[in-house]
Structure formats: structure tokens, C-alpha cells
Amino acid sequence: MAEIRYMEAINRALQDGMAADENVIVMGEDVARAGGSFKATRGLLDKFGARRVIDTPIAESTIVSAAVGAAMTGLKPVVEIMFMDFITLAMDAMVNQAAKARFMFGGQFNVPMVLRTPHGGGLNAGPQHSQCLEAWFAHVPGLKVVCPSNPQDAYSLLRAAISDPDPVVFIEHKALYGKRGEVDTAIGAQIGKARIARPGRDVTIVTYGNTVHASLQAAAQLAGENIEVEVIDLRSLQPWDEQAVYESVSRTHRVVVVHEAVKSFGSGAEIAASITENVFYELDAPVMRVGSPFMPVPFATSLEAQYVIKPADIADAVRVTMAGGR
Amino acid sequence: MTKNKDSQLLLSLYRTMRLIRVAESSLIKLFADSEIPGFIHLSIGQEAVAAGVMAALEERDTVATNHRGHGHVLARGMELDLFFKELMGKDGGICRGRGGSMHVADRSKGILGANGIVGAGIPIALGSALAHSVRGTGGVAVAFFGDGAMAEGVLHESLNMAALWKLPMLFVCEHNGWSEFSQTKEQFVAELADLARAFGIQHVQVDGNNVEEVALAAQQLTSQARAGGPRILECKTHRIRGHFEGDSQKYRNAEELIAADDCDPLIFARAMIEQCGVAPAAVDGIDAEVEAQVAASVLAGRADRQPDFAQAFADVYTATAAQG
């Protein structure tokens, strides 16, 4: 099995998805001739032609709404929004149109579209090119939200997203595009199923996306202190694998939820509250959350370095929960 | 066209307009009696646009409409019982009582939905036109919008993309002069013809109260659009009722409302039919048939059961998610 980069896994999933179903089209700004701003769509134009790989004008609102209309008329569009921050321009399309069409039209239509978009900081991209806005979409009934942390999941989950009959927001992390890993294209994935990235008996870290790696680093550090951390990679936030999390909590009795999005009103709050509601008596300590500070993502390297979540921040939270809370 | 054929077409257009008028007139009472919950936005006075444009469409074509879309969906052939049941919030409604007046859709008729967001149906129709083009269906996608949507960015973006990609799409503007409670001339500085020129799209303006004129223009423009390339049909018309039902229209002056009454497309159409030599009794017969049809659908709506909450809750996502 070859090791390929995360970005190549995305590209491969698009290729295989398009080859498998002629109704799959790719559209977005600079996705065809330029091959995508992160090159995730490179080569698709040559392979599938301009009819199915479509460069759009810079008009996020209409690009995404058009994907909804195309999906309702028999296509399976995969739209790229160059940076997740730009999704603000297409919120009507996602929130009022894509998410609700199936329900409000009484099940007459499915909206089988995928919106691919990179989130996350760490590249000095500044306040308008770095946000993690997944909680917005996880809050909207009708949307699915997927966020893979490694090349295999990027491949398998994107294939699943393309085949899914409902609209899926597929979130990639810019800092992961270069990450290498083995990819077996025969391995499938189910949206909503988590994965235990590292088994452990003392504390459960629940996370997804790029912070899976920071959490694994923290876990490695903590192992040296005789704290065995279990890291759960959720892989998808809507739906999220409550069962896997509760089972882990029932083994470890302590939880830290970690995400790169700002902590306030984030996905971590939902996960922590659900744990409290459902498996409160399994807990030996309050559920801790690690998230970014409540501020826009700063540009300067020195500022961003302080903003990003480091393994040490996660390890600190684990130590607090091991001590029974603050 | 022979006189006979001409009168047949006119009669059929008249029947559609009368159906819309009678259906919406019955909604006034149902709404006042709280048998229709929520809001409704009536298209009384604008029936000629719906009837004329829909007469030009084929089965494979798709349509996206707006919050004032009753006429469009009825003219497209949505079953009257399913329409009334939906507006009354009943289980047998076309959307199982989940959408209501502003969100009716009918997949079997290519109706991609009415829309509660001004202008939002336009880019959805654009996407549908893209799908017709990519899939080679030969279909045309039609977007209905009011002049209030001219200030929305998605119209401008959609005009650009439709022209850029030469999509089989017809933009239909029902220009009634009003953007909700404000005059459009106080909201929007340009004319639709200016936008058409800017994007290099052929634009035709017609008297939207003359159903024959609308139908002929729509016929011509849809066949041109089908061959590739968007077209714009602007229909000057009148909104006789308020923005929404129950709106007392204090912001409009009496002369304007009287002028609107004087442009009734049904009265025009009836006069044209009679000029063709059709007996008034034949037209009265259509009126009576349509009234009976609507009355029966109102009864069917009343008799239908309330939707089931658990079923609605289970229907947010498709039951079987795919595996990658």
C-alpha cells in the first residue's frame, strides 16, 4: 500500500468518485484549469473534461445554490469553497436551501451534494482564511459534517460523502494537506463512526481533525507520566458517534474534549453536555474542554503561535481532570 | 394560427388563470378563518404570467419559484388537492404539511420549490439549468422572481453564470412595482433591461396582464433558451393584494389600486376569447367547473389528517446513508 499525502487522498477520492458515477461533477473557483488553490482537484479537468469539472466565477453564494439546484436535478455536485471563512457568503444556500429541501418538500427530493472546504490556522493565513466554523453546520438539521484527520479517512470519508444522499460539509485542514499516510482505496468508511486513534485506560480525549495529532502527541508525553490516554477521533461531527464516546468514558471515567475551533459555544460544549446528560455517573471528574481562545485567528507568526492549540495545552487539561478537576 | 386554434389556446390559458384566481380567492377566506396557518402571499392580478409561461414548458423542464408562487405551481399542474392540503398543513399535502405556502414543490412536475428567501430560487434554477446542460436532458430551467429580487446579489451572479455558460435558462421577472412594502423604484436604481444588456442576455418586456402576449414571448424565449443561452422575460403586471394576506396596504394610494383593478388579466382574456366568437356561456362553463374543482379540494383539505410528528422528525435525513 502506497503512502500518499492527505491532499492526494482527496484528489484520488474525487477521481474515483467521478469515475464511478457520471453524475458526479466538481465545481468551484479555480478547480479546473488551476487544479484548486491547494491542488486537490489537479488533473480532474484532463480526465473528465470541462463539462464535469467546472471553473466558476468568484460568487460563493450562487456557486453553492447552483449545486443545490443541480443536485435536485440529478447531479451529484462536489463544490469547493477555497477557505472555510468564505462560506459566510453561501450560508443561505447551505442553511435554508440544501439543509431543508428534503424535509420541507416532504421527502420528494434528496440533495446529494458535498461542500469541500479547508479550515484551520497555523499557516499565517490571517483572520479571514483560518477559522474553524464546523459548529455552525453541525447545528443545522439536514446537514452532515465530516472532518477527517488522516489520508485514509480523507479518502474513504470523501467517497462516502459523495455517495451520500444528503448534503455533506466535508472539512479538510490546510495543515494536514501535506501529511502522508497509507491509503487503501478498498477500505470504506461510514459517516458517523468514530475511530480509536490510541487506546488507553485513564482518560478519554475526544477530538477530530488536526487536533487528533496534537492529542496523540500529548498522549505520548503523558504516557511518560504513567497516564494512559485514549484518543477518539470522531471523524464526523454530524452525526457524531455518541456510543463510541460513552463506551470509552465508561472505561476511563475522565474526558477532555479538544478542538481547534474557539472553545466558546463550540462542538466541545455539545459533546461535554451530552456526556453529562447521558453518562454522568461514569464520570470521576468534570469534563474538560480545550479549544482556541475566543478571538479571531491572528496573522503574526508570534501571535498565531500562541493562539494554536499545542500538545502541552491538552496535556495540562488531562492533568487537571486526573486531579479531579480544577 | 387559425381563429379556432387561437381560441382553443386562449380558453386553455383562461382556464389556468381562472383556476389560480378561484384557488387564491378561496385562500383569502380560509386564511381569514384560520384554516390556513402562517403567511400567504397571493398572486391575484398576476395570473397571466403563470399561465402564459407554463404553457410554453415541456415535461422535462424545471421551475423554481418564489414566495408568491401559488399561480406558478398551479399553472404547472400541481394537483389541486395536494396543493390545498399542503397550505392547510395536512399530512396529504404535497410536502406532507412541512413546507406550507412558501415551500411547495412537486418533483413529478419539475417544480424545485417555492422559496421563502427573496431571490433564492434563481441560483437554484441556475443549477438546474447546469444539470440539464451537463446531463443533456434537453430541458430548460425557469426562475420566477419579482422585481424586489432585482437588488439581490444572487440574481446578478446568476445572470453572469448563465450567460457565461450559455445555460438553457429562462429568467422570468414579474414586475409589479413593489418590493414587499416599498416601491421598487426607491430600492433599485437600474432596469432589468440594463442588467440584461450588461450580461449580454436577450431581454423581452411584455404586458404581463395580457396572457396571449406572455405565452407567445415565453414560447419563443424558451425555445431559444433550449437551444442554448439564457433569456429574460420581464412581465409588467400588478399586485392587487398586499405583500402578504392581511396587509392593509396603507402604503399604496387609492388610484394605484384602482388602476390595478382595471388591468385584470382575466377580464382581458375573456374579452379576447369572446372576440374570437366563443359564446360567453362556454366561458361561464369553465368558471363553474373550476369553482367546483376548488370547492372539492377545500373539502378534501379539511377532511385530511394532521401530519405525524415522529414521521416528520425521522425525515430530516435520508434513511439509508451510503458507505464510501
Side-chain angles (χ1 to χ4, degrees):
Chain A
M1 232 180 324
E3 276 213 339
I4 60 172
R5 285 177 293 152
Y6 184 97
M7 182 271 284
E8 290 168 318
I10 302 280
N11 183 269
R12 186 70 193 271
L14 291 171
Q15 281 193 40
D16 292 354
M18 292 185 83
D21 184 346
E22 63 173 15
N23 289 315
V24 178
I25 64 162
V26 166
M27 58 194 285
E29 295 157 8
D30 295 321
V31 297
R33 222 164 278 151
S37 52
F38 293 98
K39 305 298 171 206
T41 54
R42 187 154 54 187
L44 297 181
L45 176 65
D46 290 342
K47 208 159 185 180
F48 299 102
R51 206 171 57 90
R52 293 179 62 197
V53 186
I54 303 167
D55 270 333
T56 65
I58 302 169
E60 288 79 6
S61 180
T62 292
I63 297 167
V64 181
S65 291
V68 177
M72 291 172 79
T73 314
L75 292 180
K76 293 181 182 173
V78 183
V79 179
E80 179 177 302
I81 292 292
M82 213 180 262
F83 288 86
M84 192 171 201
D85 312 67
F86 307 169
I87 195 64
T88 48
L89 293 155
M91 284 309 264
D92 178 62
M94 290 309 294
V95 174
N96 284 318
Q97 314 300 336
K100 294 173 187 166
R102 181 188 146 71
F103 176 85
M104 76 181 172
F105 299 147
Q108 293 181 82
F109 289 94
N110 292 103
V111 184
M113 62 173 282
V114 180
L115 188 144
R116 287 183 44 242
T117 191
H119 74 172
L123 303 185
N124 302 112
Q128 295 178 339
H129 290 70
S130 306
Q131 288 171 101
C132 294
L133 302 173
E134 55 274 13
W136 292 1
F137 297 102
H139 192 63
V140 177
L143 299 179
K144 292 178 179 172
V145 181
V146 172
C147 193
S149 68
N150 59 71
Q152 178 69 59
D153 284 352
Y155 178 84
S156 304
L157 284 167
L158 185 51
R159 291 296 306 274
I162 293 169
S163 306
D164 200 279
D166 296 318
V168 180
V169 180
F170 189 87
I171 303 169
E172 301 156 15
H173 196 291
K174 294 189 280 291
L176 288 175
Y177 279 133
K179 197 165 189 68
R180 288 178 171 278
E182 286 186 350
V183 171
D184 180 347
T185 58
I187 294 178
Q190 193 184 335
I191 294 173
K193 282 275 174 240
R195 149 186 102 89
I196 296 178
R198 175 190 172 112
R201 57 163 197 269
D202 297 322
V203 181
T204 300
I205 290 179
V206 181
T207 186
Y208 58 90
N210 197 28
T211 45
V212 169
H213 304 285
S215 298
L216 288 170
Q217 286 175 42
Q221 277 177 29
L222 290 160
E225 298 167 28
N226 207 25
I227 301 172
E228 287 302 326
V229 176
E230 178 147 299
V231 178
I232 295 188
D233 177 357
L234 283 179
R235 303 201 276 191
S236 118
L237 287 176
Q238 187 54 266
W240 64 280
D241 196 341
E242 295 185 52
Q243 213 47 49
V245 170
Y246 300 157
E247 280 167 17
S248 179
V249 173
S250 302
R251 290 193 297 272
T252 64
H253 311 291
R254 293 169 199 274
V255 192
V256 178
V257 188
V258 182
H259 55 59
E260 184 176 323
V262 296
K263 182 170 149 183
S264 306
F265 292 88
S267 311
E270 169 69 17
I271 293 162
S274 298
I275 291 169
T276 310
E277 280 179 353
N278 292 290
V279 286
F280 179 75
Y281 294 105
E282 295 289 349
L283 291 173
D284 287 344
V287 179
M288 299 294 295
R289 284 181 294 155
V290 178
S292 291
F294 197 57
M295 64 193 282
V297 186
F299 159 69
T301 307
S302 60
L303 289 175
E304 198 180 23
Q306 292 179 68
Y307 175 91
V308 295
I309 290 167
K310 291 163 283 293
D313 302 328
I314 301 168
D316 284 347
V318 170
R319 290 187 198 103
V320 171
T321 191
M322 286 302 288
R326 285 192 208 284
Chain B
M1 218 181 271
T2 66
K3 202 143 200 172
N4 190 34
K5 269 193 182 157
D6 213 13
S7 68
Q8 284 308 308
L9 172 67
L10 270 174
L11 275 173
S12 141
L13 293 169
Y14 176 84
R15 176 188 288 274
T16 304
M17 288 197 291
R18 178 57 70 187
L19 175 70
I20 299 167
R21 174 69 56 91
V22 174
E24 288 203 311
S25 300
S26 79
L27 294 179
I28 294 174
K29 181 159 191 323
L30 291 169
F31 182 77
D33 293 347
S34 300
E35 287 194 72
I36 304 247
F39 311 114
I40 52 172
H41 306 80
L42 301 183
S43 65
I44 289 178
Q46 303 184 173
E47 295 90 343
V49 182
V53 172
M54 292 308 175
L57 301 189
E58 297 178 3
E59 202 180 324
R60 58 190 170 172
D61 298 337
T62 45
V63 174
T65 175
N66 60 5
H67 61 285
R68 203 175 300 288
H70 300 157
H72 308 138
V73 301
L74 291 175
R76 184 66 175 151
M78 184 183 289
E79 261 186 58
L80 205 56
D81 280 8
L82 298 180
F83 173 80
F84 271 94
K85 286 175 184 175
E86 183 60 30
L87 268 66
M88 294 166 97
K90 298 298 180 72
D91 188 54
I94 186 80
C95 303
R96 309 211 64 183
R98 297 178 204 156
S101 161
M102 279 190 284
H103 311 98
V104 286
D106 186 346
R107 185 176 195 167
S108 72
K109 308 285 183 197
I111 301 169
L112 307 174
N115 215 303
I117 311 291
V118 170
I122 302 168
I124 289 175
L126 176 93
S128 186
L130 178 69
H132 286 306
S133 166
V134 169
R135 300 178 68 213
T137 66
V140 169
V142 182
F144 283 92
F145 57 100
D147 40 319
M150 289 200 295
E152 287 277 6
V154 286
L155 171 65
H156 303 236
E157 295 180 8
S158 296
L159 288 169
N160 178 46
M161 285 188 219
L164 198 65
W165 297 335
K166 300 183 175 57
L167 294 180
M169 177 160 179
L170 181 64
F171 294 82
V172 179
C173 178
E174 285 172 299
H175 194 140
N176 60 28
W178 287 94
S179 299
E180 302 196 357
F181 311 106
S182 299
Q183 287 193 296
T184 301
K185 65 185 179 200
E186 289 168 2
Q187 300 261 316
F188 190 64
V189 74
E191 297 288 333
L192 193 51
D194 301 331
L195 293 187
R197 213 167 10 255
F199 291 104
I201 301 175
Q202 194 192 321
H203 162 269
V204 173
Q205 190 186 83
V206 295
D207 175 358
N209 303 314
N210 181 331
V211 71
E212 194 175 38
E213 210 179 298
V214 175
L216 289 174
Q219 186 62 55
Q220 198 170 25
L221 294 174
T222 38
S223 48
Q224 289 168 1
R226 207 178 297 282
R231 296 289 186 273
I232 302 173
L233 175 60
E234 182 175 13
C235 304
K236 295 286 259 194
T237 183
H238 290 281
R239 187 187 85 194
I240 290 176
R241 307 292 293 183
H243 166 54
F244 65 97
E245 195 48 26
D247 168 8
S248 58
Q249 306 205 71
K250 293 217 170 80
Y251 49 88
R252 288 174 88 173
N253 61 42
E255 296 88 66
E256 197 220 333
L257 284 166
I258 291 162
D261 279 337
D262 286 344
C263 298
D264 190 322
L266 280 118
I267 295 173
F268 269 177
R270 187 169 178 131
M272 280 191 280
I273 289 165
E274 289 180 7
Q275 272 166 25
C276 290
V278 176
V283 187
D284 291 342
I286 290 177
D287 289 358
E289 273 172 39
V290 165
E291 279 182 29
Q293 215 183 333
V294 169
S297 288
V298 170
L299 291 179
R302 278 190 189 130
D304 196 26
R305 62 176 181 189
Q306 302 294 332
D308 178 60
F309 187 83
Q311 173 119 44
F313 184 76
D315 225 5
V316 177
Y317 295 97
T318 309
T320 48
Q323 296 230 345

